[in-house]
Amino acid sequence: MKILILGGGKMGSFFCDLLSFDHEVAVYDPDSKRLRFTFNALRFSSMEEVRDFEPQLVINAATVKYTLDAFRQVLPYLPDSCILSDIASVKTGLPEFYADCGHPFVSTHPMFGPTFASLSNLSNENAIIISEGDHLGKVFFRDLYSRLNLNIAEYTFQEHDQTIAYSLSIPFASTLAFAGVMKPQKAPGTTFKRHMNIARGLLSEDDFLLSEILFNPNTSEQLEKILGKLTELHRIVKEHDADALDAYLTEVRGRIARQAQ
């Protein structure tokens, strides 16, 4: 299959490396310097090259801020039968775009990224495939993600946004709260250092990505739950209520155990 990848960043490079030995792959990025280390694939820096390539599948790996712009830029240069796909963690505006674009589409979300995941070992990671997509496109990505040993879930666009509000907004907000109150430590403990590394990784992400995830319409409800638990814990600590703390810890351990099942 002829596959065009939009964006030569970390995820674009990851998909290029993953696909280029089984498919004819080209990577487009307007900044040709980002393609210096692209291996075993064509390197495009103009849309005329895209037209001549005639891709059968486009994987949009542009940063979330430019996902829709990248699609709109490339659209006039694609064959009518070309399948459009995105891997965006934020799907805002994509359902409406796909409804009007005139192309088959498939939308997925690899629930890992270069900041925290080991891209060479993804057996404990997950991926979401959006159910509204084209059947052949979904088959392609299901096969691809299965070969990576990813756990695959299929959600609608709406279910995806609700899931992201839970699985990303909660840890993002918790990490930001931690980072917002920490101060320099001469002899930090192991737990502090681990949280610090998570905070550094999170804050290395693009601000637009962070804002889009936190501004998800479903995030506010999740933040209310965090505030509720913090308020409860604050009361327990303030009152030195050992019985209440025991009940609190038992409940939390139970939630963690159910998550692991």
Side-chain angles (χ1 to χ4, degrees):
M1 179 185 289
K2 286 187 173 184
I3 300 174
L4 173 68
I5 298 172
L6 300 178
K10 292 179 180 179
M11 289 304 288
S13 297
F14 169 72
F15 275 90
C16 178
D17 292 343
L18 188 63
L19 296 167
S20 60
F21 287 94
D22 298 314
H23 302 276
E24 188 175 353
V25 174
V27 183
Y28 168 81
D29 197 297
D31 183 358
S32 58
K33 292 181 180 179
R34 301 185 74 188
L35 303 178
R36 285 179 296 181
F37 304 109
T38 299
F39 175 72
N40 202 39
L42 298 171
R43 292 176 283 186
F44 294 164
S45 57
S46 76
M47 285 297 164
E48 292 305 323
E49 293 172 294
V50 171
R51 188 200 301 276
D52 296 338
F53 183 60
E54 297 184 334
Q56 298 164 281
L57 171 69
V58 170
I59 299 176
N60 191 337
T63 58
V64 66
K65 183 177 182 179
Y66 299 109
T67 299
L68 289 172
D69 288 342
F71 269 144
R72 294 187 181 108
Q73 183 182 10
V74 77
L75 208 59
Y77 301 89
L78 301 177
D80 292 341
S81 60
C82 182
I83 300 173
L84 304 183
S85 73
D86 75 270
I87 56 171
S89 55
V90 177
K91 304 298 185 184
T92 304
L94 283 167
E96 296 80 7
F97 170 80
Y98 285 135
D100 295 331
C101 72
H103 284 260
F105 74 90
V106 57
S107 183
T108 75
H109 181 184
M111 297 286 285
F112 57 87
T115 300
F116 296 118
S118 171
L119 298 183
S120 61
N121 181 15
L122 298 171
S123 58
N124 293 320
E125 304 293 344
N126 305 293
I128 293 173
I129 297 176
I130 302 300
S131 59
E132 289 98 330
D134 173 76
H135 174 71
L136 292 179
K138 289 193 293 184
V139 168
F140 175 87
F141 278 97
R142 183 170 290 276
D143 176 69
L144 178 64
Y145 292 152
S146 295
R147 287 192 282 118
L148 293 173
N149 296 316
L150 292 167
N151 176 52
I152 302 169
E154 187 165 318
Y155 295 148
T156 65
F157 276 116
Q158 182 178 3
E159 289 169 339
H160 170 271
D161 288 348
Q162 292 170 343
T163 298
I164 295 309
Y166 173 76
S167 64
L168 291 185
S169 296
I170 287 179
F172 279 25
S174 300
T175 300
L176 289 172
F178 162 79
V181 299
M182 68 177 167
K183 58 184 179 180
Q185 297 286 320
K186 292 184 178 180
T190 301
T191 302
F192 182 93
K193 288 190 289 186
R194 288 178 178 174
H195 279 286
M196 185 70 164
N197 288 335
I198 292 173
R200 286 197 183 102
L202 177 65
L203 292 169
S204 71
E205 297 284 1
D206 181 80
D207 285 358
F208 185 85
L209 172 63
L210 297 179
S211 65
E212 285 295 289
I213 289 173
L214 291 171
F215 290 158
N216 182 321
N218 300 285
T219 296
S220 179
E221 179 184 351
Q222 301 302 329
L223 292 181
E224 291 290 342
K225 293 178 182 178
I226 295 176
L227 290 172
K229 282 299 177 183
L230 281 174
T231 300
E232 181 183 356
L233 183 59
H234 180 258
R235 182 196 64 78
I236 291 171
V237 171
K238 187 176 181 180
E239 297 177 3
H240 289 241
D241 190 336
D243 290 338
L245 179 59
D246 182 65
Y248 189 99
L249 295 175
T250 298
E251 179 192 357
V252 171
R253 288 190 177 104
R255 289 180 179 273
I256 291 175
R258 289 192 294 274
Q259 179 68 28
Q261 292 176 352

